[in-house]
Amino acid sequence: MASGISLKELAAELKLAPSTVSRALNDSYEISEATKKKVISMAEKLNYHANPFARSLRENKSKTIAVIIPERINNFFAQVMDGIEEIAQEHGYHLLVYNTHEDVEREKKIVNLLLNGRADAIVMSVSSQTSDISHLMKLHERGLPIIFFDRVRSEIPTTKFITNDYESAFEGTKHLINQGCKKIALLTLGKDLSTTKERQRGYNDAILSEGWELDPALTLYCSHEEDSNVELIEKLLKSSDKPDGILASVEKLAFATYQTVKKTTLSIPSDLKLISFSNASVANLLNPSLTTITQPAVSIGNECAKLLIKKLTKPKHYELLDQVITIPSKITVRESTLVE
Amino acid sequence: MASGISLKELAAELKLAPSTVSRALNDSYEISEATKKKVISMAEKLNYHANPFARSLRENKSKTIAVIIPERINNFFAQVMDGIEEIAQEHGYHLLVYNTHEDVEREKKIVNLLLNGRADAIVMSVSSQTSDISHLMKLHERGLPIIFFDRVRSEIPTTKFITNDYESAFEGTKHLINQGCKKIALLTLGKDLSTTKERQRGYNDAILSEGWELDPALTLYCSHEEDSNVELIEKLLKSSDKPDGILASVEKLAFATYQTVKKTTLSIPSDLKLISFSNASVANLLNPSLTTITQPAVSIGNECAKLLIKKLTKPKHYELLDQVITIPSKITVRESTLVE
DNA sequence: ATAAAATGCGGAAACGATTTCGAAATTATG
DNA sequence: CATAATTTCGAAATCGTTTCCGCATTTTAT
């Protein structure tokens, strides 16, 4: 259909063997400079482009990396993607992108699709629903290089890139306490998420370090649906012992909190202080501006891609060791946690 | 490396010819139900997955669509992507995604990469820098199906999906006028962008319909860099005849306007009213909340993918006619254009 | 009972590249 | 000048599918 000239045809035009033309185009030492030039100029003239599938079939690699994210409308994941793409493009790699929409069934389907080797490797962040990981195990057992970022699974022995979730949540909670909060709630996603666990641990430890007790009712496990989250938060804010501080594990939940507060007579930060993990550039434009824990999203993407491409291009020299690499987040204090 | 069993090996295991196994797996009428069942169960047992490159090579199609966008951290484009992916996944298509970062040179590189047939078709929105389109012409001449959305190029005879840019800009400007604005500025991107032209035409006609004169100084052509945009807008807001209303062509410029206003003594909406094309869900959380023209992003993505897949699967029955399909936007009035 | 048609499957070519192996042609060496 | 070494290139195999063509065998029609 949209195919152009083939190597064989190009060779015929040049009165050379296909093997020679192939070598010339791949800059083989076996070919004289003279013929190389002839081949290259003719290739350009005839608009020759190597068929990527023939090459992939022969070489058993596709120069393609699959990226699986749970959400696209999310500044963190979008920035990670940009970070991955930057490095990938530099090395001639293409990106297949899949959005699971936080749905583990979709995640399974996508992962199974990748079992056929369409991509040379996978970079992913699991969905918040993901509990059983047999589908991921199968991928790894098949020998497909896989790197996790942000939402990782320690059961799979490979390299993971994350931010300092525990410390950031600890510091974030401490910040709320320093600003005078006495009762702090944690808004988070799925229980099985590595980020949830770590951030909750940081939150818990900060609470306990004050000699306070942990109140399970103050940890909310939210969903991916704005409406039900608002309901959940509304119930929290209307309860008898409502919190005066909130740590949101993802920006979506901070936004939901704003939406909820708008429906009440409460106001931020006087009645409720709010801090959130977020990479939103509009954090300082919100009303009030949002105190954020900003993750090094682009760097995380960069590092994932760099390591993966090393592994793919020099398999002998690089391994995806079973390790977790942490890149720290940064807290930016704004009005939402201000003492008045 | 990560490859499993091949069709030939599967056939050997079954003591059948590869051709038979292939036909059985593809549910050919030539194969008896009995052998089909045997083949399928053995395929599952041995975890057989067809090599996609061998298939692509043979069939000359990849079940892959390339999507080229100018920006990833942008609610509109992210939603369009989601819309495309939804339909693509339903039909077993994969998505190769490329971000040009509004850079025409990157766009050219990416487009040239796609000349080799790695993708069966392309869905794209051109960069704001794109003026010369010979690289896009080449794609089209090669016979590669291509669909434009939002930022289109009429020179390429294919189907384009856009929103009602002219009417929306006209209505948006009228809205500012109705709210009492006497001097309205237009913030937009590249001069060659189809959206810029149409929205400017709508803006112009709205101004002229009042019997006012057009002031070229009130149309700002911004870049993709936040800092320089803020500078530009700051100069506008500090000029002797500064505007009392702004129509922003993209949400990024509305955000830049907020940032700029924060640096001045002005306030929205009392000194300056603001309306913007935007698909940001946080529009109502901004300070003040932002009056928006919301584009039907997901629908646009859906329609692009639907048409393209029809064209790819039934080439005889569907053509990418040279036409523009318009899906209307919706204006949501909020505080940023309120009369006090 | 025989011819015709349908059914079920196998063999081999084809898709377009890379690469192994080997053979000329050229140059260097004794 | 004869032989060895080095360049430079070609023939053919290969990757894993799909599909054209062919050939039995069975079923249906005459």
Side-chain angles (χ1 to χ4, degrees):
Chain A
M1 179 75 72
S3 76
I5 195 178
S6 79
L7 185 73
K8 213 179 292 181
E9 295 170 293
L10 177 58
E13 197 70 31
L14 284 157
K15 294 188 198 303
L16 286 173
S19 48
T20 305
V21 176
S22 171
R23 279 185 277 242
L25 291 174
N26 290 324
D27 201 29
S28 161
Y29 71 99
E30 297 184 278
I31 304 298
S32 71
E33 288 304 319
T35 41
K36 271 186 195 172
K37 280 191 180 162
K38 257 188 282 181
V39 169
I40 290 171
S41 77
M42 180 63 85
E44 288 193 355
K45 186 181 156 200
L46 299 187
N47 234 289
Y48 170 76
H49 294 273
N51 183 309
F53 307 117
R55 180 174 285 163
S56 290
L57 176 59
R58 175 63 218 238
E59 304 205 311
N60 199 28
K61 59 185 179 187
S62 60
K63 289 227 130 195
T64 298
I65 295 173
V67 185
I68 306 179
I69 55 172
E71 213 178 31
R72 208 189 303 267
I73 302 170
N74 175 310
N75 290 288
F76 172 69
F77 290 115
Q79 286 178 32
V80 172
M81 294 279 333
D82 273 347
I84 295 173
E85 187 177 8
E86 183 185 347
I87 306 297
Q89 277 190 8
E90 278 175 16
H91 293 81
Y93 276 78
H94 299 254
L95 253 41
L96 280 171
V97 183
Y98 303 87
N99 180 357
T100 65
H101 293 268
E102 301 280 18
D103 179 349
V104 67
E105 291 308 321
R106 281 208 202 199
E107 183 179 283
K108 283 183 188 169
K109 270 186 205 161
I110 292 164
V111 161
N112 286 330
L113 244 36
L114 292 172
L115 238 34
N116 62 13
R118 185 177 287 267
D120 293 342
I122 297 181
V123 182
M124 80 176 289
S125 204
V126 302
S127 97
S128 57
Q129 282 184 15
T130 304
S131 170
D132 170 61
I133 57 161
S134 51
H135 56 300
L136 303 178
M137 274 299 190
K138 202 156 50 171
L139 267 189
H140 183 257
E141 282 163 8
R142 271 227 147 195
L144 202 61
I146 178 167
I147 283 186
F148 290 96
F149 70 92
D150 192 52
R151 303 165 169 199
V152 308
R153 293 298 297 235
S154 58
E155 301 95 318
I156 315 249
T158 183
T159 305
K160 297 109 182 169
F161 289 91
I162 63 170
T163 189
N164 55 348
D165 292 300
Y166 172 83
E167 291 81 2
S168 296
F170 185 90
E171 293 301 329
T173 309
K174 276 289 191 186
H175 172 65
L176 287 175
I177 293 169
N178 289 339
Q179 301 302 99
C181 292
K182 298 294 178 197
K183 193 185 286 283
I184 299 172
L186 171 66
L187 267 40
T188 186
L189 293 176
K191 275 192 174 73
D192 292 312
L193 234 38
S194 61
T195 49
T196 293
K197 290 180 193 164
E198 283 303 291
R199 292 172 192 180
Q200 187 168 12
R201 214 162 54 77
Y203 158 86
N204 285 350
D205 282 2
I207 299 290
L208 293 173
S209 76
E210 295 294 315
W212 299 352
E213 285 196 2
L214 288 176
D215 180 355
L218 288 177
T219 294
L220 259 54
Y221 298 100
C222 303
S223 74
H224 60 286
E225 286 171 43
E226 169 98 354
D227 292 346
S228 67
N229 290 339
V230 167
E231 268 184 50
L232 218 56
I233 297 168
E234 193 171 4
K235 225 173 72 184
L236 175 73
L237 294 184
K238 285 185 173 164
S239 72
S240 55
D241 46 17
K242 62 174 191 289
D244 56 3
I246 284 184
L247 168 60
S249 184
V250 297
E251 67 190 17
K252 184 168 58 178
L253 298 179
F255 298 156
T257 302
Y258 275 102
Q259 303 286 12
T260 310
V261 167
K262 275 173 89 87
K263 296 172 66 178
T264 71
T265 57
L266 299 172
S267 78
I268 305 175
S270 52
D271 303 311
L272 181 72
K273 303 199 197 310
L274 177 62
I275 181 172
S276 177
F277 281 82
S278 169
N279 282 56
S281 66
V282 295
N284 74 327
L285 301 181
L286 298 180
N287 184 21
S289 62
L290 175 64
T291 295
T292 56
I293 302 170
T294 306
Q295 292 164 270
V298 177
S299 298
I300 288 180
N302 284 338
E303 296 306 318
C304 285
K306 277 185 199 166
L307 178 60
L308 209 44
I309 287 173
K310 275 185 196 166
K311 162 72 178 169
L312 289 176
T313 52
K314 297 189 175 57
K316 312 286 172 205
H317 304 285
Y318 293 94
E319 278 306 318
L320 301 184
L321 300 174
D322 185 10
Q323 61 179 332
V324 177
I325 298 178
T326 304
I327 310 178
S329 289
K330 199 172 130 283
I331 295 187
T332 304
V333 177
R334 297 200 184 84
E335 294 165 1
S336 69
T337 55
L338 218 60
V339 181
E340 290 177 325
Chain B
M1 177 75 71
S3 75
I5 194 178
S6 78
L7 185 73
K8 216 178 290 181
E9 296 170 293
L10 177 59
E13 197 70 32
L14 284 156
K15 295 188 197 305
L16 286 173
S19 48
T20 305
V21 176
S22 171
R23 279 184 277 241
L25 291 174
N26 291 321
D27 201 29
S28 162
Y29 70 98
E30 297 183 279
I31 306 297
S32 71
E33 288 304 319
T35 39
K36 272 186 195 171
K37 279 192 181 161
K38 256 188 282 183
V39 169
I40 289 172
S41 76
M42 180 63 84
E44 288 192 356
K45 185 181 157 200
L46 299 186
N47 234 288
Y48 169 77
H49 293 273
N51 182 309
F53 307 118
R55 180 174 284 165
S56 290
L57 175 60
R58 177 61 218 235
E59 303 204 310
N60 199 29
K61 59 185 179 190
S62 60
K63 289 227 128 195
T64 298
I65 295 173
V67 185
I68 307 178
I69 55 172
E71 213 178 32
R72 207 188 305 265
I73 302 171
N74 175 310
N75 290 288
F76 171 70
F77 289 115
Q79 287 178 32
V80 172
M81 294 278 331
D82 273 347
I84 295 173
E85 188 177 7
E86 183 184 346
I87 306 297
Q89 277 190 7
E90 277 174 18
H91 292 82
Y93 276 79
H94 299 254
L95 254 41
L96 281 170
V97 183
Y98 303 88
N99 180 357
T100 65
H101 292 267
E102 301 279 17
D103 179 349
V104 67
E105 291 307 321
R106 282 208 201 197
E107 182 177 285
K108 282 183 188 169
K109 270 186 204 159
I110 292 163
V111 161
N112 285 331
L113 242 38
L114 292 172
L115 238 34
N116 62 12
R118 185 177 285 267
D120 292 342
I122 297 180
V123 182
M124 79 178 290
S125 204
V126 302
S127 96
S128 56
Q129 283 183 15
T130 304
S131 169
D132 171 60
I133 56 161
S134 51
H135 57 300
L136 302 179
M137 274 299 192
K138 203 157 47 171
L139 268 189
H140 183 256
E141 284 163 5
R142 270 227 148 193
L144 201 61
I146 178 168
I147 284 187
F148 291 96
F149 70 91
D150 192 53
R151 304 164 168 201
V152 307
R153 293 297 299 233
S154 58
E155 303 95 317
I156 316 251
T158 183
T159 305
K160 297 111 184 169
F161 289 91
I162 64 170
T163 189
N164 55 347
D165 293 299
Y166 172 84
E167 291 81 2
S168 296
F170 184 90
E171 293 302 329
T173 310
K174 276 290 190 185
H175 171 65
L176 288 174
I177 293 169
N178 289 339
Q179 300 303 97
C181 293
K182 297 295 179 198
K183 192 185 286 283
I184 299 171
L186 172 66
L187 267 40
T188 186
L189 294 176
K191 277 191 172 72
D192 292 313
L193 234 37
S194 60
T195 48
T196 294
K197 290 179 190 165
E198 284 303 291
R199 292 171 192 182
Q200 187 168 13
R201 213 163 55 78
Y203 159 85
N204 285 349
D205 282 2
I207 299 289
L208 292 173
S209 76
E210 295 294 315
W212 300 351
E213 285 197 1
L214 288 176
D215 180 354
L218 288 177
T219 294
L220 259 53
Y221 297 99
C222 301
S223 74
H224 60 286
E225 288 170 42
E226 169 100 351
D227 291 348
S228 67
N229 290 339
V230 168
E231 269 185 49
L232 217 59
I233 297 168
E234 193 171 5
K235 227 173 73 184
L236 175 73
L237 295 184
K238 285 184 173 165
S239 72
S240 55
D241 47 16
K242 61 173 190 295
D244 56 2
I246 284 185
L247 168 60
S249 185
V250 297
E251 67 190 16
K252 183 168 60 179
L253 297 178
F255 298 156
T257 302
Y258 275 101
Q259 302 286 12
T260 309
V261 166
K262 275 172 87 87
K263 297 172 65 177
T264 70
T265 57
L266 299 172
S267 79
I268 304 175
S270 53
D271 304 309
L272 180 71
K273 302 197 196 315
L274 177 61
I275 182 173
S276 176
F277 282 82
S278 168
N279 282 56
S281 65
V282 295
N284 74 328
L285 300 182
L286 299 180
N287 184 19
S289 63
L290 174 64
T291 294
T292 56
I293 302 169
T294 306
Q295 294 164 271
V298 177
S299 298
I300 288 179
N302 284 339
E303 296 307 317
C304 286
K306 278 185 198 165
L307 179 59
L308 210 43
I309 287 173
K310 276 185 195 166
K311 161 72 179 170
L312 289 176
T313 52
K314 298 190 173 57
K316 312 286 172 207
H317 303 285
Y318 292 94
E319 278 307 316
L320 301 184
L321 300 173
D322 184 9
Q323 59 178 333
V324 177
I325 298 178
T326 305
I327 309 178
S329 290
K330 198 173 129 285
I331 295 186
T332 303
V333 177
R334 297 198 184 84
E335 294 166 0
S336 70
T337 55
L338 217 59
V339 182
E340 293 175 324

